[in-house]
Amino acid sequence: MRNSNPNPMPSVRFPRWIIWLVLGVIGLVFVFAVLSSFWYFEVINNDEVGVKIRSGQIVGIAQPGIVYDFGLFVQLVKIKTSSVAITVDDAELITSDKQRIGLQVTADVFRPTTADIVTSNYARYKTIYIDDASLQNRMQAFTLQAMKVCVGDKKFDDAIIGTGRDVLRACIDDELSKLAEPIGLEVRNVAVPQVTISPEVQAALDAIVQSRLATEKAKQDAEKAKQESTASQAVEEGRIRVEQSKLQEEARQQVTLQQLQQQKLEAQLKVIEQQTVNAKAQLELTKAQQQIADEQAKVDLAREIALAKLYAENPAYVSLLIAQANASAIKASDKFIFVPAGTFPNLIFGNGLLPTVSLPQ
């Protein structure tokens, strides 16, 4: 019997080792999937905590670091502890005086890190703890509830004007914390960045503001006129006071100048008196010094005076002293020529020399 298929498909044969390799990989994957229920070895980051579960029961809360365990049906569930930002808008909020406003509220939500809180709430709020979308949905509902409560308790002006917004923000923060605390969540950084109002309310507010501005302007104009009058009067009074002060200061300066001049004259008089005293003292000192000098001169000349008197009374003694002086002046080598008075001696020297010394006539 002939084959009716004109183009039979060729059969593909794989090497046996490839088949065994594929089967081995499949087997390893299966074994790993089965064994993963009996052990784990993981790293918990700084923004996480780990819930350690064994046989369906929570056995502990692991802090950041390396965590491992072996046992029957063990599991580690990581919970993010970093902030989850929420932004909630509500354009239809009614105040206690029946006004409509819109709010936008932002906040940061943190999951629990304390072991007791995580252990007690994990079974009931597991989805909120591990899924950001579930957490945001729950917190959006809480925020809407808090916004309605806080806005509904306040009048329009108290909710959006001045410090009323800070009070409103604090109210929403408190209400959110009350709602989030039972499930172990912490709310921080609550803010009310946007407040919206309807066009009708905006127009009414603008009219009120304009009226207030006109009233304030009128008050300010009246106050300005009053202040200008007061200022003008104050300027004139100040000018008069300045003139009076100037005259008083000039008089005071004149008195002070006279006092200074008097003090100067008194000081000069004291200087003159002191100079007179010093001159008198100097004169007395000079007289005393002159007397001392005179007495000292008398002492110094007493011997000469006594000798002069002795010489005057004893001329023979004077002649003796002159002879002794002359005798003491003559040396052994001296030569003397004695001639009669009024004569000139003739001196004869060898080699044609002539006398060269003139004698008195």
Side-chain angles (χ1 to χ4, degrees):
M1 183 177 179
R2 301 179 66 181
N3 189 356
S4 61
N5 189 355
N7 296 314
M9 292 293 294
S11 61
V12 178
R13 298 178 61 86
F14 293 99
R16 186 178 298 273
W17 66 271
I18 293 179
I19 297 174
W20 283 108
L21 179 61
V22 173
L23 292 176
V25 170
I26 294 173
L28 287 175
V29 171
F30 177 77
V31 171
F32 182 80
V34 173
L35 293 179
S36 63
S37 299
F38 300 95
W39 70 279
Y40 59 79
F41 185 92
E42 297 190 35
V43 176
I44 299 177
N45 297 321
N46 288 329
D47 62 342
E48 298 175 331
V49 294
V51 180
K52 301 168 66 175
I53 300 175
R54 183 180 299 167
S55 300
Q57 298 293 326
I58 297 176
V59 295
I61 303 299
Q63 299 300 321
I66 297 175
V67 182
Y68 59 88
D69 194 9
F70 299 90
L72 185 62
F73 299 109
V74 293
Q75 183 184 8
L76 179 68
V77 179
K78 297 179 181 179
I79 297 176
K80 285 283 187 180
T81 59
S82 57
S83 65
V84 178
I86 61 170
T87 300
V88 181
D89 295 289
D90 193 339
E92 293 292 334
L93 296 170
I94 308 300
T95 62
S96 61
D97 54 353
K98 305 300 187 292
Q99 298 292 332
R100 290 184 301 171
I101 64 172
L103 292 183
Q104 182 184 80
V105 175
T106 62
D108 293 326
V109 184
F110 295 86
R111 296 184 176 96
T113 59
T114 306
D116 295 341
I117 297 177
V118 175
T119 302
S120 60
N121 293 296
Y122 178 77
R124 290 174 292 177
Y125 307 113
K126 175 181 177 181
T127 304
I128 295 175
Y129 284 1
I130 63 177
D131 182 50
D132 287 349
S134 298
L135 175 61
Q136 290 175 336
N137 291 335
R138 181 60 61 89
M139 289 307 303
Q140 183 175 10
F142 286 168
T143 304
L144 291 173
Q145 175 66 21
M147 292 161 66
K148 287 180 171 55
V149 170
C150 293
V151 172
D153 288 342
K154 292 177 174 55
K155 293 183 179 181
F156 180 81
D157 291 347
D158 297 336
I160 67 170
I161 296 177
T163 58
R165 291 185 64 171
D166 292 334
V167 177
L168 178 64
R169 185 207 63 79
C171 176
I172 294 174
D173 191 354
D174 293 340
E175 291 296 326
L176 266 179
S177 298
K178 292 178 183 178
L179 294 172
E181 184 179 2
I183 60 177
L185 301 177
E186 182 181 2
V187 181
R188 300 180 189 173
N189 307 322
V190 175
V192 183
Q194 295 291 339
V195 176
T196 59
I197 58 178
S198 64
E200 295 81 4
V201 175
Q202 182 66 51
L205 285 177
D206 292 341
I208 293 173
V209 170
Q210 291 298 327
S211 177
R212 288 178 179 174
L213 289 176
T215 304
E216 289 295 328
K217 186 176 184 303
K219 291 181 180 179
Q220 290 178 1
D221 291 341
E223 184 66 23
K224 180 181 178 182
K226 181 179 179 181
Q227 292 295 333
E228 289 177 350
S229 176
T230 303
S232 178
Q233 180 180 355
V235 169
E236 185 63 24
E237 291 177 354
R239 186 185 64 79
I240 295 173
R241 290 193 184 96
V242 169
E243 292 296 332
Q244 291 176 349
S245 299
K246 183 177 180 181
L247 294 175
Q248 292 174 357
E249 182 63 21
E250 290 178 355
R252 189 181 66 81
Q253 292 292 341
Q254 291 294 331
V255 173
T256 303
L257 180 60
Q258 294 297 326
Q259 291 176 349
L260 291 176
Q261 290 178 349
Q262 181 179 358
Q263 292 175 1
K264 180 180 177 181
L265 293 175
E266 291 176 354
Q268 290 176 348
L269 179 59
K270 289 182 180 179
V271 170
I272 293 172
E273 292 176 352
Q274 185 63 40
Q275 289 176 347
T276 302
V277 172
N278 294 340
K280 290 180 179 179
Q282 184 65 34
L283 180 59
E284 296 295 331
L285 176 63
T286 302
K287 290 180 178 180
Q289 290 176 345
Q290 185 64 40
Q291 292 176 358
I292 294 172
D294 293 343
E295 294 298 327
Q296 184 64 38
K298 291 178 181 180
V299 173
D300 295 338
L301 297 175
R303 184 174 179 275
E304 282 75 6
I305 293 173
L307 289 175
K309 184 178 181 181
L310 177 62
Y311 293 158
E313 293 176 354
N314 301 282
Y317 179 67
V318 174
S319 298
L320 177 62
L321 291 177
I322 292 173
Q324 289 178 349
N326 291 331
S328 62
I330 298 174
K331 298 181 181 179
S333 59
D334 293 339
K335 302 293 188 291
F336 296 92
I337 298 174
F338 296 95
V339 295
T343 63
F344 184 79
N346 291 321
L347 299 178
I348 300 173
F349 297 95
N351 298 327
L353 296 175
L354 296 176
T356 57
V357 178
S358 299
L359 295 176
Q361 296 300 321

